[in-house]
């Protein structure tokens, strides 16, 4: 009996010490870790301002490769939500919800899960200085009077903190795989492109703007002669479709959308509407108004050896307007690639440069284009 009493007293003393010590432990916890990248601040912000690339940088998937993610709410920014579920009990289920988002500055995500504490918040702030962006990730949690939580807080830097370090390492590694281009000046849209009948010439040139323009001018002459000889009309602006942007040689297709000409009246109307077609192409199209059904093929065409008939790409594409010297078009394409990488879009097919002004009739600095890159 004496030994039993001694055991009970020992247990009570331990419990009392547990409570007393717990009362003096912090009722809240926070951890901060920092990393740096040389990628543009907008690209860093876009990568973490939604959940399109979350699985590629957040360490949850490293703990459980079979974890399931469900994205809902807004596509990015405030209201974007990710729910996760794992069969591993130490991970369980939880939710990330973006509640604050200041462009190129900070993102705040609140977290609901079974870990100790309430009011769990992940705050990521971005501080650009020169060509370097400092990424600061801070985690805050409230334990209140939950003594177990207060004790768990003693190991916060070894649990959540280690995940944060791995996450920052993953994030900077992911950014390093992306094209390093600052696309802040572009007005990028996600819009559908309707498939159209086209006549096109596959050609190549030296990789300089004069050679490219000369090759394109010659191709356009052949295509327009073919349009006239087959009784067709132009149904859109000329396009340059990149095939291979090599170090010395540039391979590409020059294409013009076409449609049958049924009467002289329709031809005149098409000529009058040509500027309107160019203007409409430079604006984001109503996604619900675009018919993605492939057009009926053109039949009975008489084509010279270098001119081919086909159907242009139809489907979703990233697009951006550009006005200026055409020598900058490769950079615009790379900026679209950088945007797609940050947002988690999957590019497909080939980039398309739509010429909204005629090459020979416009000063280079005043030329207008719309650049497209198809996405899945």
């Amino acid at each position: 009996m004496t030994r039993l009493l001694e055991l009970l007293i020992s247990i009570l003393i331990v419990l009392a010490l547990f409570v007393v010590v717990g009362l003096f432990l912090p009722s809240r916890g926070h951890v901060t870790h920092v990393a740096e990248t040389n990628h543009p601040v907008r690209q860093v912000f876009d990568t973490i301002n939604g959940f399109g690339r979350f699985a590629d940088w957040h360490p949850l998937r490293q703990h459980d490769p079979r974890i399931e993610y469900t994205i809902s709410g807004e596509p990015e920014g405030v209201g974007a939500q990710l729910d996760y579920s794992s069969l591993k009990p130490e991970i369980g289920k939880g939710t990330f919800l973006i509640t604050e988002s200041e462009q190129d500055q900070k993102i705040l995500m609140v977290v609901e899960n079974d870990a100790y504490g309430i009011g769990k918040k992940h705050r990521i702030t971005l501080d650009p200085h020169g060509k370097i962006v400092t990424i600061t990730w801070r985690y805050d949690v409230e334990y209140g009077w939950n003594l177990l939580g207060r004790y768990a807080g003693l190991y916060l830097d070894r649990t959540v903190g280690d995940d944060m370090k791995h996450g920052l390492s993953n994030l900077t590694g992911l950014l390093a795989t992306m094209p390093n281009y600052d696309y802040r000046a572009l007005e990028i849209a996600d819009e559908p492109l309707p498939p159209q009948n086209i006549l096109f010439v596959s050609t190549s040139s030296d990789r300089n703007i004069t050679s490219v323009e000369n090759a394109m001018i010659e191709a356009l002459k052949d295509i327009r002669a073919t349009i006239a000889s087959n009784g067709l009309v132009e149904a859109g602006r000329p396009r340059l479709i990149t095939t291979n942007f090599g170090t010395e040689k540039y391979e590409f297709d020059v294409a013009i959308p076409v449609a049958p000409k049924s009467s002289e009246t329709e031809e005149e109307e098409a000529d009058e509407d040509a500027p309107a077609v160019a203007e409409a192409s430079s604006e984001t199209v109503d996604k619900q108004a675009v018919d993605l059904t492939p057009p009926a093929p053109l039949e009975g065409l008489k084509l010279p050896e270098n001119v081919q008939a086909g159907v242009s790409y139809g489907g979703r594409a990233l697009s951006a307007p550009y006005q200026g010297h055409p020598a900058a078009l490769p950079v615009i394409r790379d900026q679209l690639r950088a945007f797609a990488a940050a947002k988690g879009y999957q590019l497909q097919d080939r980039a398309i440069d739509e010429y909204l002004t005629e090459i020979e009739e416009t000063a280079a600095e005043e030329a207008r284009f719309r650049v497209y890159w198809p996405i899945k």
Side-chain angles (χ1 to χ4, degrees), residues 37-50 53 57 76 103-105 107 124 126 128 131 133 135 171-185 188 333-344:
T37 179
N38 65 348
H39 279 247
V41 65
R42 178 63 56 81
Q43 191 175 47
V44 182
F45 177 81
D46 284 345
T47 302
I48 59 178
N49 191 43
R53 301 306 305 262
W57 65 268
E76 59 186 13
Q103 186 166 277
D104 301 340
Q105 296 184 47
I107 294 156
I124 302 177
L126 306 177
K131 295 184 178 181
V133 177
I135 308 168
L171 178 59
T172 54
L174 175 63
L175 290 166
T177 67
M178 300 181 186
N180 193 343
Y181 291 89
D182 191 347
Y183 50 79
R184 279 180 291 180
I188 301 174
R333 296 183 214 123
D334 285 331
Q335 289 173 333
L336 284 179
R337 289 197 305 120
F339 175 89
K343 298 276 189 174

Side-chain angles (χ1 to χ4, degrees), residues 148-228:
L148 290 175
R150 293 189 182 193
Y151 276 98
L154 295 173
Y155 304 94
L156 194 61
D157 198 34
R158 294 293 305 274
T159 53
V160 177
D162 280 352
D163 273 358
M164 292 165 63
K165 285 189 286 187
H166 288 309
L168 287 172
S169 177
N170 294 342
L171 178 59
T172 54
L174 175 63
L175 290 166
T177 67
M178 300 181 186
N180 193 343
Y181 291 89
D182 191 347
Y183 50 79
R184 279 180 291 180
L186 290 187
E187 298 178 6
I188 301 174
D190 173 358
E191 62 179 287
L193 275 178
Q196 294 177 279
N197 284 309
I198 57 172
L199 296 183
F200 66 96
V201 170
S202 296
T203 186
S204 65
S205 73
D206 292 334
R207 220 191 78 170
N208 65 73
I209 189 60
T210 301
S211 298
V212 172
E213 288 191 350
N214 289 338
M216 188 170 183
I217 289 169
E218 291 302 314
L220 288 175
K221 288 179 181 178
D222 291 342
I223 294 172
R224 283 175 167 149
T226 306
I227 290 173

Side-chain angles (χ1 to χ4, degrees), residues 31-37 39-42 44-46 48-49 57 100-109 121-129 132-140 164 168 171-172 175:
V31 182
T32 301
H33 287 286
V34 179
E36 291 184 338
T37 179
H39 279 247
V41 65
R42 178 63 56 81
V44 182
F45 177 81
D46 284 345
I48 59 178
N49 191 43
W57 65 268
E100 292 183 29
S101 177
E102 294 183 19
Q103 186 166 277
D104 301 340
Q105 296 184 47
K106 72 174 182 179
I107 294 156
L108 179 67
M109 290 184 281
K121 298 176 181 177
H122 291 276
R123 184 186 304 272
I124 302 177
T125 57
L126 306 177
D127 179 23
H129 41 94
I132 300 298
V133 177
T134 299
I135 308 168
T136 303
W137 185 351
R138 174 176 173 131
Y139 173 74
D140 291 282
M164 292 165 63
L168 287 172
L171 178 59
T172 54
L175 290 166

Side-chain angles (χ1 to χ4, degrees), residues 254-313:
V254 179
I256 297 180
V258 295
K261 178 178 66 177
S262 58
S263 68
E264 292 298 324
T265 303
E266 288 185 10
E267 181 180 12
E268 294 174 0
E269 290 177 352
D271 291 338
E272 293 174 358
D273 290 343
V277 170
E279 293 299 326
S281 299
S282 66
E283 298 177 359
T284 301
V285 183
D286 181 356
K287 297 181 181 181
Q288 302 301 321
V290 175
D291 185 4
L292 298 180
T293 305
L298 299 173
E299 298 179 351
L301 297 179
K302 296 181 179 180
L303 304 177
E305 185 176 346
N306 65 325
V307 178
Q308 303 177 63
V311 177
S312 66
Y313 168 82

